[in-house]
Amino acid sequence: MLGFLVMSLAAVGYGAAASYNCTKVNGVEGVCDLMLNQLTLAGGRCSGCGAFGAMYFWSGIKAPACNYNTQDKSITEQLKIGMRYFDFDLGYIHKSEESLPYWEEGPVIVSIGGGAVAYSRSLKKALTEIRDFMNANKDEIVIMRINKYYQEKKETRDLLLKSIKPTFDSVFGPEGSEGVQLNFYTTLKPVRYMIESNERLVLYLNKDFWGSTLSDFRAHPDNFFESEVIHVYRSTCIVSRVSYHVYRITC
């Protein structure tokens, strides 16, 4: 189920001295000096639902794929065909609730239906596939969003907020680690900076995690990525649903 992330703002030039030079972004040449919000990315809603095979209800009964699976390809296969935007819905599993072998403690990908919720696999599994692909393809940029969560209550939200950064750190390492990293300057610098600094991942949290609008992960007051400086960014984008699971985002 494909969607598109489309934003428009003025381009800003940026000169960066780096050992790796940007010549193309996501396979497109001549766009290194554009801003990220001038690019169009193919993406999927309910990412990871079906990407690891069957999904299951909390009871352990297999969920019908026609109702809950939105993809039949792995995260890696989706990346290979050009998907660059992943929109995850999450639940949280406590260690004491690891009653079945395919449920891992921490953030888990879910498909939230009208009457029930189906569980996929851990967010960490999806991030690991994204990491491996990104480290092997240094001209690629990927955006992720954490959208809905289940159960929709403060306890779940707070558990997810506290576990998201440790989950990312366990896959990508803390800031400054070798390999692809998160980027928090997408409104200030062109994509050239992202490619040349190897900060080629962008993570947004939906408004329920922030309290107002879609926001950069670092902007949330519970997340301190730097000891002295907190980079605050709030999107003023308006999301309108133009067709089923296709979203146009305009600023």
Side-chain angles (χ1 to χ4, degrees):
M1 303 175 75
L2 298 180
F4 294 93
L5 185 70
V6 184
M7 300 184 187
S8 297
L9 280 177
V12 178
Y14 177 77
S19 58
Y20 189 84
N21 294 319
C22 180
T23 59
K24 59 183 178 180
V25 179
N26 292 355
V28 181
E29 297 182 353
V31 299
C32 291
D33 292 314
L34 296 180
M35 303 296 286
L36 178 62
N37 46 29
Q38 292 181 292
L39 304 182
T40 300
L41 308 177
R45 178 71 186 97
C46 294
S47 298
C49 294
F52 304 99
M55 300 182 66
Y56 294 85
F57 297 126
W58 188 256
S59 63
I61 298 174
K62 185 181 293 187
C66 59
N67 292 347
Y68 292 94
N69 290 30
T70 54
Q71 297 110 36
D72 59 2
K73 297 184 182 299
S74 69
I75 298 295
T76 300
E77 290 171 330
Q78 292 179 53
L79 286 161
K80 287 181 177 179
I81 64 173
M83 301 288 274
R84 295 295 181 269
Y85 173 67
F86 294 90
D87 197 305
F88 297 106
D89 290 346
L90 298 180
Y92 187 90
I93 292 180
H94 295 270
K95 188 170 182 60
S96 60
E97 296 171 332
E98 291 182 300
S99 57
L100 296 172
Y102 45 81
W103 289 354
E104 301 93 342
E105 179 187 10
V108 61
I109 297 168
V110 298
S111 178
I112 304 172
V117 172
Y119 291 78
S120 181
R121 298 298 298 271
S122 68
L123 175 64
K124 184 175 180 177
K125 285 186 176 293
L127 296 180
T128 299
E129 291 192 43
I130 292 172
R131 177 201 64 195
D132 293 346
F133 177 87
M134 295 291 280
N135 283 338
N137 297 273
K138 297 186 179 299
D139 297 304
E140 304 297 319
I141 289 172
V142 163
I143 295 177
M144 295 167 284
R145 180 175 73 155
I146 294 176
N147 191 7
K148 299 178 181 179
Y149 57 94
Y150 179 86
Q151 300 172 335
E152 193 173 346
K153 57 185 183 180
K154 184 178 184 299
E155 178 187 0
T156 306
R157 184 196 65 186
D158 291 348
L159 284 168
L160 287 172
L161 277 172
K162 291 176 181 177
S163 61
I164 287 171
K165 185 177 187 299
T167 299
F168 271 77
D169 285 350
S170 71
V171 176
F172 301 102
E175 269 191 292
S177 298
E178 185 176 353
V180 66
Q181 294 288 305
L182 287 169
N183 183 289
F184 304 98
Y185 303 93
T186 59
T187 62
L188 303 176
K189 299 179 181 180
V191 291
R192 174 184 299 280
Y193 172 84
M194 300 178 69
I195 297 296
E196 294 179 349
S197 67
N198 207 23
E199 296 177 2
R200 297 177 286 117
L201 296 170
V202 180
L203 173 63
Y204 290 105
L205 298 182
N206 203 7
K207 63 181 182 180
D208 285 350
F209 289 97
W210 172 262
S212 54
T213 59
L214 182 75
S215 62
D216 185 302
F217 182 44
R218 182 178 285 193
H220 195 281
D222 286 347
N223 302 310
F224 295 93
F225 285 80
E226 295 180 348
S227 58
E228 297 180 356
V229 180
I230 302 174
H231 297 276
V232 176
Y233 160 65
R234 289 193 186 187
S235 169
T236 56
C237 301
I238 300 172
V239 182
S240 57
R241 190 169 183 172
V242 294
S243 64
Y244 188 64
H245 284 318
V246 178
Y247 298 83
R248 180 176 299 276
I249 301 181
T250 54
C251 297

